Amino acid sequence: MPRHSFSPLSVDSLVMHADISARIVGDSHTILTGISQDSRNIESGDILCCVRGESFDGHRFINEALERGCSAVLVDQVDESISPSITQIIVEDVRSVLGRIASAAFRHPASSLKMVGITGTNGKTSTAAILGSVLSMHGASVHVMGTLTGSRTTPESIDLQAQLRSLVDSGVDHVVMEVSSHALQQHRVDGIVFDLSIFTNLGHDHLDFHGTMENYFAAKKSLFTSQLSRCAVVNTDDAYGQQLFLNAEIRTTGFSASDVTDVSISAQRVAFSWRSLAISLPIGGTFSVANAIAAITAAAEMGVSDSAILSGCAQVATVPGRFESIPNDAGIDVVVDFAHTPEALRGLLTSARMITQAQLIVVFGCGGDRDSAKRPVMGGIATEVADVVIVTSDNPRSEDPEQIVADVMQGVSSNGARVSSIVNREKAIESAILGANRGDMVVVAGKGHELTQEIHGDFLPFSDVAVAQVALLKRKENLK
């Protein structure tokens, strides 16, 4: 985790502007000029924030930080071994206050921005892209932050606040950002009050982290409180969204598929009528309709003009790895999508089924070191909806990819779908494309925009889009 500099600020001012309960041991007038969670990056004048994590405890690295010139530490207990010349800020839990400390260190940059937060299991990235495009057409200077812009969907608190400060200084006035359940549970967005927050849906994911769906929803729900948001737009077609709508403690507007008529869907675009507007987007798939409704409902709540909504939707760029159609002259549709949860896979394949002229072929796998309970469920969904299913490797991480494939195969049903497994993902994608007939659709699911495959700690170059393109070229050569 990097170190970030900020304008000089005394310890007592930092605590006061963070508005936290803390005890200061040492000189409260010590001047700070930088902040980090990583002792290896500390410089003279910095504060080290000692977070107790799953793998490391930041308190164990205080001495290393002191050797590098650390001026203060944020800790959850007094360290009697530290020299009195080093100021200690003692709080009950470092992680829970770190967002507010970081916000204060960078002079509360979110207060100078229109902030939109988007949470939900699926659809965050596309909804953010559509809303960002619409706001830009409205004349805003917009930055979209999320899965496509960093190693984490939502950055750690210090990185997030430093980035927001940089955006303010560069003239950005609107930020549309994805807010993950991990970030909410770990208080990464504390210190921000979103002007508007969006809830897309909730499905089976991240139970390796949250344990239960109830805990998962509780994390998501925390965004829709007065501490973090001023108003909300929620999907009332989703059971959890309906709960948020009915029990809202902030001003909340619902959106639903019933809000639109005259819906037209293809692999390359969607169109529909909404509030007397003829909306069209160059993004395919049925779930793109739901994402668009979320985005334009939020835009309307923010006072965006109808003309900006129309032009923003029409000009939104293709979102990498989100129902991304791969151009070809082979007479087949090839779509790459990030769907990696049961609900997302079902939505993806159901959407593909609606627009497929002939057979639906799906290539997918499940990630290692993640919620293993969803593997057989996704296997069952694939064989329920598709005609041809090829189960393959995704990001196996530390697990045996063959075992992950076997877990998925346990859920397949014998309802007529042709099912096989090819552990090598490149060969699986190639097999699907070479074996497709005119009118078929090949859906490659799970990795979407990702450019690597994680295997035993190594990140090897891998792109579903690039592999599909090579396979299409090979198919063309074979037909000569």
Side-chain angles (χ1 to χ4, degrees):
M1 297 178 187
R3 168 198 180 272
H4 297 281
S5 298
F6 54 80
S7 299
L9 187 68
S10 65
V11 168
D12 55 356
S13 291
L14 176 66
V15 171
M16 179 183 69
H17 289 294
D19 191 24
I20 62 171
S21 176
R23 180 163 65 97
I24 299 173
V25 174
D27 186 358
S28 64
H29 300 299
T30 297
I31 299 298
L32 305 174
T33 55
I35 185 170
S36 180
Q37 289 175 242
D38 190 335
S39 60
R40 296 169 297 184
N41 298 325
I42 288 293
E43 296 181 10
S44 179
D46 288 355
I47 179 171
L48 174 70
C49 302
C50 303
V51 173
R52 296 188 190 273
E54 293 181 6
S55 302
F56 300 99
D57 179 0
H59 295 78
R60 293 174 51 199
F61 303 96
I62 290 176
N63 287 335
E64 180 181 1
L66 297 180
E67 292 173 0
R68 295 177 180 274
C70 179
S71 296
V73 291
L74 178 66
V75 293
D76 59 24
Q77 59 186 25
V78 176
D79 189 331
E80 301 292 353
S81 68
I82 294 178
S83 166
S85 64
I86 305 301
T87 305
Q88 300 185 55
I89 304 173
I90 300 95
V91 296
E92 185 174 343
D93 176 60
V94 173
R95 184 176 283 285
S96 67
V97 304
L98 186 54
R100 294 194 292 276
I101 284 285
S103 177
F106 294 101
R107 274 53 173 190
H108 304 296
S111 64
S112 300
L113 296 161
K114 280 287 185 182
M115 297 289 303
V116 178
I118 304 175
T119 199
T121 305
N122 303 305
K124 296 186 296 295
T125 302
S126 295
T127 301
I130 297 167
L131 181 55
S133 179
V134 168
L135 290 172
S136 293
M137 289 299 120
H138 191 60
S141 176
V142 186
H143 179 79
V144 177
M145 185 187 305
T147 306
L148 301 180
T149 60
S151 59
R152 288 181 171 86
T153 300
T154 309
E156 289 285 355
S157 300
I158 296 172
D159 299 333
L160 173 58
Q161 294 293 340
Q163 188 173 354
L164 293 178
R165 169 46 57 194
S166 177
L167 292 171
V168 171
D169 293 345
S170 67
V172 169
D173 49 38
H174 284 65
V175 169
V176 179
M177 64 177 289
E178 300 177 48
V179 182
S180 69
S181 59
H182 292 66
L184 288 163
Q185 186 156 324
Q186 295 176 347
H187 301 277
R188 292 184 213 162
V189 295
D190 285 15
I192 299 172
V193 179
F194 291 92
D195 295 281
L196 184 143
S197 291
I198 301 172
F199 177 82
T200 60
N201 49 64
L202 194 77
H204 187 146
D205 201 15
H206 304 306
L207 298 192
D208 54 314
F209 180 78
H210 295 289
T212 66
M213 287 296 294
E214 289 73 19
N215 292 340
Y216 184 24
F217 179 51
K220 295 288 191 185
K221 187 168 65 173
S222 66
L223 179 61
F224 301 91
T225 61
S226 57
Q227 289 76 32
L228 291 179
S229 298
R230 294 188 173 91
C231 66
V233 167
V234 304
N235 179 6
T236 53
D237 290 337
D238 181 271
Y240 292 98
Q242 186 67 226
Q243 288 187 47
L244 289 174
F245 183 75
L246 294 175
N247 300 302
E249 66 172 77
I250 57 176
R251 181 169 63 84
T252 301
T253 301
F255 69 90
S256 165
S258 63
D259 296 341
V260 303
T261 57
D262 304 320
V263 179
S264 173
I265 302 167
S266 73
Q268 290 78 35
R269 65 187 309 103
V270 299
F272 53 85
S273 295
W274 176 83
R275 300 184 186 179
S276 301
L277 299 178
I279 306 290
S280 179
L281 300 93
I283 305 173
T286 54
F287 42 82
S288 294
V289 176
N291 297 334
I293 298 171
I296 61 181
T297 302
E301 289 296 308
M302 297 174 72
V304 174
S305 66
D306 287 352
S307 60
I309 289 174
L310 287 167
S311 57
C313 287
Q315 297 183 43
V316 64
T318 299
V319 184
R322 271 60 178 181
F323 213 84
E324 183 174 355
S325 182
I326 310 302
N328 68 84
D329 55 7
I332 63 174
D333 284 316
V334 179
V335 170
V336 171
D337 194 89
F338 190 50
H340 59 283
T341 69
E343 291 79 9
L345 185 63
R346 181 179 292 280
L348 169 65
L349 296 182
T350 301
S351 177
R353 167 61 71 198
M354 292 173 60
I355 57 181
T356 300
Q357 299 175 28
Q359 289 201 318
L360 174 59
I361 304 166
V362 61
V363 180
F364 84 102
C366 291
D369 300 335
R370 298 294 186 269
D371 184 0
S372 60
K374 67 183 181 183
R375 295 172 186 171
V377 177
M378 293 176 68
I381 290 169
T383 51
E384 177 188 337
V385 185
D387 300 298
V388 179
V389 177
I390 302 176
V391 181
T392 188
S393 182
D394 190 290
N395 288 310
R397 300 185 176 89
S398 69
E399 290 193 62
D400 177 3
E402 293 190 0
Q403 182 58 56
I404 297 174
V405 169
D407 291 344
V408 175
M409 294 292 284
Q410 287 182 1
V412 303
S413 59
S414 55
N415 65 342
R418 300 199 306 275
V419 184
S420 62
S421 63
I422 303 174
V423 176
N424 184 297
R425 191 174 182 89
E426 182 176 1
K427 291 181 179 178
I429 295 170
E430 180 182 282
S431 175
I433 290 175
L434 296 183
N437 296 314
R438 293 186 68 85
D440 288 351
M441 176 180 284
V442 176
V443 173
V444 182
K447 289 176 57 59
H449 64 283
E450 295 177 350
L451 299 177
T452 60
Q453 188 173 32
E454 185 180 353
I455 302 175
H456 292 294
D458 294 324
F459 290 83
L460 308 178
F462 194 98
S463 163
D464 281 354
V465 171
V467 170
Q469 290 169 334
V470 170
L472 285 164
L473 288 174
K474 186 172 183 179
R475 177 189 173 98
K476 190 172 184 177
E477 290 296 320
N478 290 349
L479 293 175
K480 285 184 178 180

